[in-house]
Amino acid sequence: MSVIIYAENWDGKFKKLTFELASYGAKVAEMLGTSLVAVSIGKVEESELKELGKYGVQKVVATDHELLRPLDSKAYTSLIAQVAQKEDAKVIVMASNNAGKSIAPRLSVKMKAALGSGVNKLPLSTEPFVVSKKVFSGNAFAHLSLNTEVKIITLMQNSFDLVAKPVEPEIEQFSVKLDAADVKTQVKEVQKHDGKMLLTDAEIVISGGRGMKSAENWQPILELAELLNAATACSRPVSDEGWRPHEEHTGQTGKIIAPNLYFAIGISGATQHLAGVSSSKYIVAINSDKSAPIFEAAQYGIVGDAMKVLPKLVEAVKEIKTK
Amino acid sequence: MNILVCISNVPDTTTKVKFTDNHTRLDTAGIQWVINPWDELSLTRALELKDDASTGVKQVSVAHVGPASAEPTIRKALAIGADSAYRVNMEPADSYQVAAALAEVVKAGQFDIILCGIESSDYNGSNVGSMLAEFLDLPSVSAISNLKVEGGHLSITREIDGGKEVVTVPSPFVGIVQKGIAKEPRIAAMRGIMMARSKPITVVEAPDAEALSSFVAYEPPQPRAACKFIDPDNAGQLIELLQNEAKVI
């Protein structure tokens, strides 16, 4: 019996997100009185695989195949299902991100295992196995009972703190037999925004709305973001106007994020916007309209003109950085 | 080439959601139902492809899993421009049942592209599209922000962490679609609304597939602490609070 996590890598490296999954998986394994196994797909050095042991992973099943370099959801599903069977997995945990969202549902059908997606905390109970997840775009949480022997969970990013639990993991190389016909997805072209802090990885996000008035006014946001090692985001009207790229749109139909700190600057706080950011641990609102709904979602607020407030914030951050 | 767009019927995003029966069931009183926003964008893109004769897209159909009460939403999709519709007659309990039901529609028809929105704005599962693909043993591509048909071949742009990839897969395939696929959802014109009345909605019997999960309760989100206001003339104080009180910078 075991709990399995899918330990995704990015160019051979794990991220904080991977260790969140390990910490979560270790806790679930403890609740079930079983051990934690990680599955790694792709080219990852043994020293990096061992990093998973810091967060309670007792065994790593690692596999690499030339054909599995691009994400092919069908081939990945089949591989993870094989490992799950071999390790007698009772619970399989993945991230609620691009990869997890494309693999977990397929795995659910393949293994006839109930899926709880976008789970935000530890299972509420194990008999029956009930998880909590956000529904209605953040307007409620549901308790979902997973009624099959094997359960699959996708975990929301930044919803579970890292818990150090150092062990020396066993590393097992798992070889897969694949031929080109098994992998249907062919990548023709890749466009990467190199060196840019990813919105979904950032612990601090600085976001601007229509209240910023024009693309030229973004300079102080970019400066603040740079100083705080933050990612930049925007509301829907801003990306629709072309002031900022579409990848920065946070909100119901854009990116759903959960940073530790979210600055909403010149954003009124419509339901659709809040749906994308309501899981942020802290929200700071800066808006000239005192009655803007964003102040109901925020813990800290400044009623004022963003163009006057932002330079003061930049100065204040510079000051604490030099201390 | 034929396209099937799977549509979900969801409460309008501005709906104040309430629960009934001791917080175990959604209170549907007063809810305005709409096509799930991502499904509406998928439908728009499917119709754009059909409008362009060079793509060879001939038919755009929609499929929905739900009771007869969802027919106004299906009619809306027909009014926007879909040629025909399927409704699997059941009240699904989870996404596994929805996908199993949609698989029946796909198996009975001739579809080259099956589109699903990346998530529904009610249960936020992001499950149905990929589940459907697995039921059908078809390839699936997630997080699609652009879909083109050129010379009978599919060119798909999908979002990856920190960028985009242009990929190809053989058809039939299941495309799971996100923002960017179409600029604005297409709106039904009066002529479309009139024509929709005579378009066929085929009712399909529910397959024998059990739900794997069940919603047992709902809870409202925890209310946040009241907003602490900082004097704009002394904005720097905010940074101090974030550092020493919230401890997030």
Side-chain angles (χ1 to χ4, degrees), chain A residues 25-47:
Chain A
K27 207 73 197 171
V28 175
E30 202 180 294
M31 287 168 84
L32 296 173
T34 183
S35 62
L36 179 63
V37 178
V39 187
S40 166
I41 303 174
K43 192 170 161 52
V44 184
E45 297 293 333
E46 185 153 324
S47 59

Side-chain angles (χ1 to χ4, degrees), chain A residues 210-236:
Chain A
R210 201 159 22 192
M212 293 301 295
K213 295 193 180 76
S214 80
E216 292 72 48
N217 288 343
W218 241 260
Q219 195 47 44
I221 289 188
L222 301 179
E223 194 177 354
L224 190 60
E226 170 121 31
L227 284 166
L228 290 171
N229 193 24
T232 51
C234 68
S235 66
R236 179 169 174 175

Side-chain angles (χ1 to χ4, degrees), chain A residues 130 141-144, chain B residues 19 22-25 214-219:
Chain A
V130 178
F141 287 91
H143 299 174
L144 181 68
Chain B
F19 300 96
N22 197 22
H23 282 276
T24 57
R25 212 162 53 79
S214 47
F215 285 95
V216 290
Y218 295 93
E219 57 179 326

Side-chain angles (χ1 to χ4, degrees), chain B residues 67-80:
Chain B
S69 58
E71 292 213 352
T73 296
I74 301 173
R75 285 278 169 222
K76 193 181 164 202
L78 293 170
I80 292 169

Side-chain angles (χ1 to χ4, degrees), chain A residues 10 73-74 106 117 133 136-137 141 143 145 147 186 188-189 191 249 252 255 278 280 299-301, chain B residues 13 38 122-125 134 137-138 140 159 161 164 166 168 179 214 216-217 219 224 228 230 245:
Chain A
W10 289 263
S73 53
K74 194 160 174 264
R106 295 199 75 125
S117 52
K133 74 174 297 261
F136 296 99
S137 303
F141 287 91
H143 299 174
S145 174
N147 306 325
Q186 286 189 13
K188 297 289 173 200
E189 197 185 317
Q191 304 155 4
H249 167 202
Q252 189 177 37
K255 293 228 163 47
S278 62
S280 307
Q299 286 83 10
Y300 296 102
Chain B
T13 44
W38 292 272
D122 49 4
Y123 293 96
N124 306 120
E134 189 67 27
D137 198 27
L138 289 179
S140 57
E159 184 148 329
D161 295 323
K164 287 173 184 158
V166 180
T168 60
K179 183 191 150 78
S214 47
V216 290
E219 57 179 326
R224 284 177 181 262
K228 192 180 260 188
I230 294 121
E245 191 178 83

Side-chain angles (χ1 to χ4, degrees), chain A:
Chain A
M1 203 169 114
S2 67
V3 170
I4 283 192
I5 59 161
Y6 167 50
E8 186 179 356
N9 72 81
W10 289 263
D11 300 322
K13 296 283 173 213
F14 297 129
K15 283 187 188 176
K16 177 168 171 266
L17 167 65
T18 324
F19 303 125
E20 284 170 19
L21 289 181
S23 302
Y24 183 89
K27 207 73 197 171
V28 175
E30 202 180 294
M31 287 168 84
L32 296 173
T34 183
S35 62
L36 179 63
V37 178
V39 187
S40 166
I41 303 174
K43 192 170 161 52
V44 184
E45 297 293 333
E46 185 153 324
S47 59
E48 184 71 7
L49 293 174
K50 286 204 165 156
E51 287 290 303
L52 295 167
K54 289 184 180 165
Y55 300 94
V57 173
Q58 286 143 301
K59 179 176 177 182
V60 183
V61 178
T63 186
D64 183 24
H65 196 292
E66 201 58 37
L67 288 167
L68 289 175
R69 294 290 158 78
L71 171 62
D72 180 278
S73 53
K74 194 160 174 264
Y76 273 52
T77 298
S78 160
L79 178 58
I80 295 172
Q82 284 176 50
V83 177
Q85 250 145 26
K86 184 172 86 68
E87 298 295 330
D88 189 21
K90 290 289 170 273
V91 180
I92 303 165
V93 186
M94 293 186 200
S96 182
N97 64 355
N98 281 336
K101 283 179 188 174
S102 61
I103 300 166
R106 295 199 75 125
L107 196 60
S108 166
V109 172
K110 193 171 188 74
M111 300 184 72
K112 213 171 178 194
L115 168 61
S117 52
V119 167
N120 67 314
K121 56 174 139 174
L122 284 174
L124 305 173
S125 65
T126 55
E127 293 282 342
F129 199 95
V130 178
V131 293
S132 159
K133 74 174 297 261
K134 200 160 80 162
V135 288
F136 296 99
S137 303
N139 288 310
F141 287 91
H143 299 174
L144 181 68
S145 174
L146 306 180
N147 306 325
T148 49
E149 203 199 328
V150 180
K151 289 101 180 158
I152 305 172
I153 289 172
T154 65
L155 181 68
M156 291 285 289
Q157 197 157 349
N158 207 19
S159 64
F160 198 76
D161 289 333
L162 299 185
V163 185
K165 194 184 176 189
V167 287
E168 183 64 31
E170 172 196 345
I171 313 275
E172 181 189 308
Q173 297 295 335
F174 183 72
S175 64
V176 278
K177 284 196 192 72
L178 276 175
D179 62 73
D182 295 326
V183 179
K184 307 284 188 201
T185 312
Q186 286 189 13
V187 177
K188 297 289 173 200
E189 197 185 317
V190 184
Q191 304 155 4
K192 281 226 171 192
H193 322 294
D194 279 330
K196 210 174 148 192
M197 165 74 76
L198 288 187
L199 196 44
T200 44
D201 284 346
E203 303 206 335
I204 304 177
V205 173
I206 323 265
S207 186
R210 201 159 22 192
M212 293 301 295
K213 295 193 180 76
S214 80
E216 292 72 48
N217 288 343
W218 241 260
Q219 195 47 44
I221 289 188
L222 301 179
E223 194 177 354
L224 190 60
E226 170 121 31
L227 284 166
L228 290 171
N229 193 24
T232 51
C234 68
S235 66
R236 179 169 174 175
V238 168
S239 67
D240 283 354
E241 288 288 338
W243 296 351
R244 300 297 301 168
H246 279 288
E247 306 86 82
E248 289 196 2
H249 167 202
T250 46
Q252 189 177 37
T253 51
K255 293 228 163 47
I256 315 273
I257 54 170
N260 289 335
L261 176 59
Y262 182 76
F263 283 82
I265 306 170
I267 292 176
S268 65
T271 324
Q272 290 88 339
H273 185 75
L274 293 177
V277 302
S278 62
S279 299
S280 307
K281 298 214 167 91
Y282 284 89
I283 295 178
V284 169
I286 302 168
N287 204 298
S288 54
D289 176 7
K290 194 178 189 311
S291 60
I294 190 72
F295 289 116
E296 285 164 35
Q299 286 83 10
Y300 296 102
I302 298 179
V303 180
D305 177 356
M307 295 316 286
K308 290 195 183 121
V309 171
L310 276 167
K312 291 194 176 117
L313 297 183
V314 166
E315 280 317 303
V317 173
K318 278 184 182 158
E319 210 167 292
I320 63 163
K321 293 279 166 191
T322 51
K323 264 184 199 166

